[in-house]
Amino acid sequence: MTTDITREQLLARQPHDYLRDGLSTAAGTLRPELAGIPAFAVATQLDEAMASPQEVALTLEMLKQVLGVSQGDGSPAGDRFLAASRDALDHVARLLSKVNNIVLDGWLEDCAPFVKTEADIQAFIALFQTVLQQYTALQAVKPPVDGA
């Protein structure tokens, strides 16, 4: 039997709720359960905050680029992730000429303490990709704003 989850419950989910057991498995991949309700909760939160799909996608791509440049610099994974997140958000804000979406910005910051290893960085990228896929699907089924 499945339990229904309300929009309010999805909006209330925070990284400390679903990341307390970490991001990655012993094999170094994304914990499978994070690709379900937790990812959809983030997508729902981005929807509630009216994040543009372009901003979400561009932030993911910029994060991957910045992390790729900083790979092997000797920094601890958590520090590297936090710095890369800040850099990615700064680049996106400049590219789009707007302030970062507060929920997207907050999610990256709130997830940073859970990134402890290089495997966690890769797992987070996989999680973010799943969030983007679910967010894109959610946007595709929304009725038009004008009601048509």
Side-chain angles (χ1 to χ4, degrees), residues 64-143:
K64 291 191 305 192
Q65 294 294 319
V66 174
L67 283 167
V69 169
S70 67
Q71 192 170 16
D73 71 358
S75 300
D79 294 345
R80 195 164 75 82
F81 176 81
L82 185 57
S85 296
R86 300 273 31 110
D87 286 351
L89 287 165
D90 288 346
H91 286 301
V92 170
R94 283 194 306 276
L95 285 168
L96 298 179
S97 299
K98 64 180 231 164
V99 174
N100 297 117
N101 180 279
I102 192 168
V103 169
L104 181 57
D105 186 324
W107 180 60
L108 290 170
E109 188 171 322
D110 291 348
C111 288
F114 298 96
V115 177
K116 298 177 175 144
T117 66
E118 290 300 317
D120 287 342
I121 288 176
Q122 295 311 310
F124 182 83
I125 294 298
L127 174 60
F128 199 163
Q129 184 68 52
T130 302
V131 167
L132 176 60
Q133 290 170 342
Q134 292 187 14
Y135 185 61
T136 302
L138 187 59
Q139 295 306 298
V141 298
K142 284 181 73 168

